[in-house]
């Protein structure tokens, strides 16, 4: 046992040394304390994580994925499961689309996956869950289904995802309404300040009937107090829609506890399911309000809500079905959600600390505000090329991360995943610093 631990430590140290080779002395010194933490993690069992898991994914040699938050990455075994479902469909298309009753028909297979995903988000009943292609589709289904009165308003935050803002603006333009109610929050902030900002907007605009909040915002990436926001809105008689695009697989979700009316979540970002797999949860009392973006006349389901979303035309539904295989992969290969979430959060925290040390800057928030996406400020010289840094980094180093301007400074959002190690953050720190110093 001792020999295996020593060997694991040497392996970690070797990988670290290869990554930091060529760094300046100052950068190496700044990285040293993070390496010490990483070694402790390795001795305590983290040898199951990191680069050795890359063999389960399909990424090209030399490509470093530190942007799991945009498109995710699907394990090979889950991709293969999707292909198998596609083959089942093609074997007997009429049987697949027309009948129900077992997992060799579309509706029977969807029901089995619905049960799995429903348990994962703590839905009281699986009938509260339907499948959509992505969070954009789910958010559109809710925002474009709700019938507002002529004077009713929708509230959203200034940090809402661009798609959400665009969809709300579309609804307003289509209905010939005035501007929606945007509530501005600052980051870094406190829960009290966020709640106060939203409450002030609600008091100023009593016509608000629907409020939309991100569970985890995209840029900057922070976890919002959605349970408290939902409770606040309920006090004002406002329905609540949660955009959980980044949440499923990154942090625990308990829709029953949150208390919202609608919850949308992607599978492809953090659950490891294929692109084109997401869910929409709607509390039973509000399901009659919501309809899919594509209206069909076929489908099957235990409720009208399920029936409408079960079939939106002839298409490949295999991404939905492979969500169960993604859950199996998480449990059998990686040891379950708690272990995954612990590792990726701790790596994001330690990676953020390393980057701020290398760049001599700061992180945007304290660790309790993030899941697995760190927000770190770049050196001041990066501000002049913040908009072009991502492309330059990708061309020079075969890694892409989103850079953004916040409070007139240039920041980066870096995603930590089970196949990443602290050496990846060291590599990123060196590569970005080189561009800022020589090509900015």
């Amino acid at each position: 046992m001792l020999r295996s631990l020593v060997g694991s430590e040497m392996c970690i140290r070797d990988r670290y040394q290869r990554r930091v080779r060529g760094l300046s002395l100052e950068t190496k010194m700044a990285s040293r304390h993070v390496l010490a933490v990483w070694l402790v993690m390795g001795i305590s069992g983290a040898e199951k994580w990191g680069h050795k898991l890359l063999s389960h994914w399909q990424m090209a040699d030399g490509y470093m994925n530190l942007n799991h938050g945009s498109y995710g990455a699907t394990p090979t075994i889950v991709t293969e499961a999707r292909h198998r479902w596609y083959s089942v469909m093609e074997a007997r298309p009429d049987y697949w689309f027309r009948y129900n009753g077992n997992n060799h028909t579309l509706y029977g297979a969807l029901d089995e996956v619905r049960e799995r995903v429903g348990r994962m988000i703590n839905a009281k009943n699986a009938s509260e869950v339907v499948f959509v292609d992505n969070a954009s589709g789910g958010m559109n289904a809710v925002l474009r289904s709700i019938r507002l009165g002529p004077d009713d308003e929708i509230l959203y935050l200034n940090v809402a995802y661009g798609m959400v803002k665009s969809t709300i603006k579309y609804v307003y333009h289509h209905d010939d309404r005035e501007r929606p109610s945007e509530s501005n929050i600052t980051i870094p902030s406190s829960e009290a300040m966020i709640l106060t900002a939203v409450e002030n907007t609600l008091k100023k605009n009593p016509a608000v009937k629907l409020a939309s909040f991100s569970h985890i915002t995209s840029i900057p990436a922070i976890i919002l107090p959605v349970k408290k926001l939902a409770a606040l809105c309920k006090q004002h008689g406002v329905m609540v829609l949660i955009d959980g695009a980044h949440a499923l697989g990154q942090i625990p979700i308990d829709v029953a506890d949150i208390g919202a009316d609608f919850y949308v979540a992607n599978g492809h970002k953090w659950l490891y399911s294929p692109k084109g797999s997401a869910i929409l949860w709607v509390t039973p009392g509000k399901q009659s309000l919501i309809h899919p973006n594509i209206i069909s006349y076929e489908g099957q389901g235990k409720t009208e809500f399920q029936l409408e979303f079960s079939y939106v035309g002839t298409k490949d539904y295999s991404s939905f079905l492979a969500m169960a295989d993604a859950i199996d992969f998480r449990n059998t290969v990686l040891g379950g959600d708690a272990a995954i979430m612990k590792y990726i959060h701790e790596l994001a925290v330690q990676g953020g600390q390393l980057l701020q040390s290398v760049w001599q800057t700061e992180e945007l928030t304290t660790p309790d505000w993030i899941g697995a996406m760190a927000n770190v400020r770049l050196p001041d010289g990066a501000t002049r090329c913040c908009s072009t840094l991502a492309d330059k980094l990708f061309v020079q180093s075969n890694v892409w991360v989103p850079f953004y301007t916040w409070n007139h400074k240039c920041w980066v959002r870096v995603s930590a995943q089970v196949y990443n190690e602290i050496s990846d953050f060291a590599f990123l720190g060196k590569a970005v610093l080189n561009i800022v110093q020589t090509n900015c």
Side-chain angles (χ1 to χ4, degrees):
M1 178 66 176
L2 179 60
R3 182 177 300 173
S4 65
L5 291 178
V6 171
S8 176
E9 177 176 341
M10 292 177 64
C11 181
I12 294 168
R13 190 182 298 276
D14 287 345
R15 288 198 298 268
Y16 175 83
Q17 294 293 348
R18 286 196 297 271
R19 285 293 190 193
V20 302
R21 188 173 294 131
L23 291 176
S24 67
L25 177 61
E26 292 79 11
T27 301
K28 290 179 180 177
M29 293 298 291
S31 307
R32 185 180 296 170
H33 73 284
V34 184
L35 172 61
V37 173
W38 184 258
L39 289 174
V40 171
M41 289 178 62
I43 292 173
S44 63
E47 62 271 9
K48 67 177 286 187
W49 308 103
H51 294 163
K52 64 176 59 179
L53 287 174
L54 284 170
S55 61
H56 292 285
W57 272 266
Q58 305 161 75
M59 285 173 282
D61 291 342
Y63 173 69
M64 182 183 296
N65 192 353
L66 288 169
N67 185 34
H68 204 92
S70 284
Y71 306 112
T74 307
T76 304
I77 194 171
V78 179
T79 300
E80 291 172 348
R82 180 191 178 187
H83 293 162
R84 287 196 299 272
W85 281 117
Y86 187 90
S87 296
V88 172
M89 173 185 67
E90 292 296 345
R92 290 197 292 175
D94 280 289
Y95 183 65
W96 176 254
F97 284 110
R98 296 181 185 277
Y99 294 91
N100 194 358
N102 60 56
N103 62 6
H104 290 288
T105 65
L106 172 61
Y107 308 111
L110 284 175
D111 282 341
E112 290 194 4
V113 181
R114 194 189 323 273
E115 291 283 349
R116 300 284 302 277
V117 178
R119 288 195 297 270
M120 191 172 184
I121 65 170
N122 197 31
K124 292 181 179 179
N125 192 294
S127 64
E128 300 165 2
V129 177
V130 293
F131 298 95
V132 289
D133 287 339
N134 43 53
S136 298
M139 295 295 289
N140 267 263
V142 175
L143 291 168
R144 295 168 67 178
S145 290
I146 297 293
R147 292 291 178 258
L148 299 174
D151 299 319
D152 293 343
E153 293 190 24
I154 301 174
L155 180 151
Y156 65 93
L157 300 183
N158 58 312
V159 291
Y161 188 54
M163 170 274 300
V164 176
K165 293 181 180 181
S166 295
T167 305
I168 292 174
K169 289 177 181 177
Y170 167 83
V171 170
Y172 268 64
H173 178 75
H174 183 270
D175 294 346
D176 197 25
R177 297 174 179 274
E178 298 295 327
R179 293 178 59 190
S181 297
E182 180 174 295
S183 185
N184 290 306
I185 65 171
T186 59
I187 302 173
S189 187
S190 67
E191 285 192 355
M193 292 174 65
I194 293 173
L195 292 167
T196 297
V198 172
E199 185 167 29
N200 288 340
T201 304
L202 291 170
K203 288 179 178 179
K204 182 180 177 181
N205 301 282
V208 170
K209 291 295 183 275
L210 174 66
S212 174
F213 306 107
S214 300
H215 200 160
I216 301 177
T217 56
S218 177
I219 289 178
I222 65 163
I223 302 172
L224 291 177
V226 289
K227 180 179 178 180
K228 294 180 180 179
L229 287 168
L232 172 62
C233 288
K234 294 298 180 180
Q235 294 173 11
H236 291 262
V238 174
M239 294 183 291
V240 178
L241 164 62
I242 303 298
D243 175 10
H246 283 280
L248 186 60
Q250 184 178 171
I251 61 174
I253 299 175
D254 188 334
V255 292
D257 183 61
I258 291 172
D261 300 284
F262 318 100
Y263 194 104
V264 176
N266 278 319
H268 74 268
K269 286 185 183 291
W270 295 92
L271 186 68
Y272 311 139
S273 59
K275 280 70 175 170
S277 58
I279 59 168
L280 165 62
W281 171 89
V282 179
T283 191
K286 299 292 195 305
Q287 290 177 5
S288 62
L289 303 176
I290 308 304
H291 307 282
N293 298 315
I294 298 174
I295 304 299
S296 183
Y297 76 98
E298 298 182 38
Q300 297 185 32
K302 298 175 183 178
T303 65
E304 187 70 20
F305 175 61
Q306 266 191 30
L307 186 151
E308 286 192 22
F309 280 86
S310 67
Y311 184 84
V312 291
T314 303
K315 56 168 281 184
D316 178 6
Y317 293 83
S318 60
S319 288
F320 299 163
L321 303 177
M323 294 179 83
D325 299 276
I327 295 173
D328 288 340
F329 176 82
R330 296 172 70 85
N331 292 333
T332 58
V333 177
L334 301 178
D337 287 347
I340 295 168
M341 293 175 186
K342 181 176 186 294
Y343 178 81
I344 61 178
H345 171 71
E346 290 180 350
L347 181 57
V349 170
Q350 293 156 14
Q353 292 170 352
L354 171 59
L355 290 175
Q356 74 166 5
S357 296
V358 170
W359 297 334
Q360 293 297 293
T361 59
E362 62 187 324
E363 294 181 78
L364 187 59
T365 66
T366 54
D368 54 310
W369 282 89
I370 69 168
M373 295 188 287
N375 305 275
V376 187
R377 183 170 65 82
L378 273 67
D380 289 339
T383 305
R384 60 181 179 268
C385 65
C386 196
S387 63
T388 60
L389 265 174
D391 290 338
K392 291 178 179 179
L393 177 67
F394 185 66
V395 170
Q396 295 182 21
S397 302
N398 205 17
V399 56
W400 200 100
V401 288
F403 298 92
Y404 60 95
T405 300
W406 188 256
N407 294 334
H408 309 293
K409 300 290 184 179
C410 184
W411 299 77
V412 65
R413 186 193 77 187
V414 188
S415 301
Q417 194 41 263
V418 294
Y419 48 67
N420 291 127
E421 300 179 359
I422 199 66
S423 59
D424 297 336
F425 287 79
F427 178 85
L428 177 68
K430 172 191 173 183
V432 171
L433 195 60
N434 178 63
I435 294 173
V436 171
Q437 292 176 345
T438 65
N439 190 28
C440 198

